[in-house]
Amino acid sequence: MDPSQWDREAEHLAQVYQKIRRELSRRSSEVQSYRASILKTRQSIWEEGDHTWNYGDTDAAVEVKQSMDVLKQENQRFRIARNQLNKLERLKKSPYFGRIDFMENGTADTEQVYIGITSFFDERGNILIYDWRAPISGIFYDYELGPASYRCMDGVIEGRVNLKRQYRITEDRLDYMLDTGIKIDDELLQEILSKNTDEKMRNIVTTIQKEQNRVIRDEGHQLLMVQGVAGSGKTSIALHRIAWLLYQYRDENMTSGNILIFSPNTVFNDYISNVLPELGEENMQQTTFDEYIAKMAGKGLTYETSSEQMEYILTAGQRKDQLPRMWGIAYKSSVDFYHLLNDYARYLEFQAMRFHDIVFRGETLVPVEEIRQLYEQDYAPLPLAKRLQKIKNRLYYRIRPAWHRRRTELWDELLDSPEYRNNAKAYSRLFVYREFKEVRRDIEDMLQFDGYQAFMELFSNTDLFVSLAGEHLPEHYREICADTVARFSRRIPGYEDIAAFVYLKGVLEGVPDMSQIRHVVVDEAQDDTPIQYGILKQLFPETKMTLLGDFNQVINPLKGAFRYQTVTEVIKPHSQMVLKLIKGYRSTADIVNFTRLVLKDGQQIESIQRHGEKPRLYQAGDEGELTDRLVKDIRDLADEGMESIGIICKTAEKSRRLHEAIKKKLHVSLLTRDDVNFSKGIVILPVYLAKGLEFDAAVVYGADAENYGLERDRKLFYTACTRALHRLHLFAEGELSPFFRDIPQEYYERL
């Protein structure tokens, strides 16, 4: 590179940085001024309020109200100023990371576009740094030198990229720069990928690739589904997509409160919590399906979490008493069961309801035709339970005239009775209440609805179950039904049943109003069932969604293959798109070359040209020898600078046992389903809690036939192995997992 270009870039950086510091100083003073003004107003309100409360001064009360309005405005200005100050602080650390020179067709001028984490203007309103989310900034991610275009409010702008440059900047120091195109082996990307992982996920704005950018900036589909291989950056992309949505629709008052992400577990929520603040945005709302199900299931039931269900699946053997539930989990994870629940809801709505005349002393108070009209027409849009409640309220209203007439009759009769004359009014009320008791009971019995009993009825009435299932009747339906009834009768349903119960309850009773949510993101969607997709449809019938998953990482071996067509079959979006990410960025090429051979069809997975050590396999004859070698290996990895080491076991029970065995020899923590924080260091965890996480070194403990000996364990084993950034070590006791038969010895080192 011409040295004069370096000098010009260094001079430009110095000028920009000077203006950033100047603006920082101004904004800092502004924030301090607002803070002082707020404190002064609060003091005034306190003094005026004290006078008002003690002396009842009306004028003072008016002044307090006015001061409160002023305080509200001052707080708003303070928040805006503080937000701007925070953005400037981020710019101060590294003002920008990229530049493109773009010449629009039909013009002779070339625009120099510097791209950073947020926009920055000079005192004249000239833009010095473009936000990475700005329309023109998309060129940086999508094009190399030559023809290029971007879409903005004015339409599609076409032109030519004459220069594309990347920088590493530390405050006012230009560390290096390079002219580049979008290539996987770019120096900057290689440098970033070679670093150790953090406690939190980091933003990737400097290294977003073309295929990732397509996901981030998609706005034309109600349902965007992303099939991304392990390490392709799915979660990072989802968070950057959220940041882009907040930027794109800022003029429509979209805020982080309008976006909701469903995460696989609470640990994952903590792991991703840093990305949006780094990008200058407040964190979106986060939840899990477990949290929603717990909220909606109601009291009186003790039920599993998804992690507890996984623990059961992975530890259950082939005992006769365990098979019915295993069959049930498999069936209840299918789209056939989802359709059966909907058919059952329609049955309850149209066939199970039986109406009749409301009669009192031979007089028809409400004819059955009127009740049917209320049910089939007037209240038809409402869920079944709410519809019945509306009808019940209406019937009570309709019988009031008869109630009042009969009370008047009784009153008159009692006035003629010496026994009741003095209290005729009270006794008439009592007697009419008794006479109408049967009418009220009749109304209650006819219109009663119990969601719990309705769910039980589906499985206790096997004839009905068979009729509804039709040609999709599961092979072991009698055992499945009996097991379900037994569990619900004991008030200890499994996770598969409580999820189905909550879904059916939503269909029949309605769901909370979630209209404030404008975009939903679902991560690790491959592990969700059609029932869970149905819950999404219930809650967000018209809301745009982004679903991210990988059919190679389905950790529930009973769930079956993950298919995006199943998602669309359930959600039924107005428009949908499936985007594929086939290149993994997390792991070295040596690790990717190993892990893709674990899969039956993993050859389509692409790796980056970042090399390291081959995966290592340690095999021992007994557990004691294996744990001794593990402890030594972990110490060696730590000495080599691996700051985050994940020891991944198959189950929580195996994780607990290993932790007990080595905790006195290593400073190691045990990650469980109840944990809400993720931190660096040495951690032991079950594989189903490891999904979505990454470690400098991943240690798969139990890479043997006992733990991963069945074909159904293949994707589980793949998920465990793909958590590694730089090192993958595998420990096996006794016979190796049969998956090693598919992996030539040249792809790993056996010790």
Side-chain angles (χ1 to χ4, degrees), residues 140-155:
F140 178 79
Y141 301 111
D142 289 342
Y143 294 96
E144 300 181 43
L145 301 184
S149 64
Y150 67 96
R151 183 179 296 275
C152 63
M153 293 181 61
D154 297 329

Side-chain angles (χ1 to χ4, degrees), residues 63-112:
E63 291 180 9
V64 169
K65 174 63 168 59
Q66 293 173 342
S67 296
M68 291 293 291
D69 292 338
V70 171
L71 181 62
K72 184 178 180 180
Q73 295 173 3
E74 289 177 341
N75 277 322
Q76 178 67 14
R77 287 195 293 268
F78 173 75
R79 285 193 295 268
I80 293 172
R82 187 177 58 185
N83 185 48
Q84 292 296 322
L85 182 63
N86 291 337
K87 289 182 177 180
L88 287 167
E89 290 286 358
R90 283 188 290 272
L91 280 182
K92 180 178 175 230
K93 294 178 182 178
S94 184
Y96 47 84
F97 56 83
R99 167 187 165 183
I100 55 170
D101 288 2
F102 182 72
M103 179 183 289
E104 184 179 342
N105 289 346
T107 67
D109 298 329
T110 298
E111 183 178 6
Q112 293 182 355

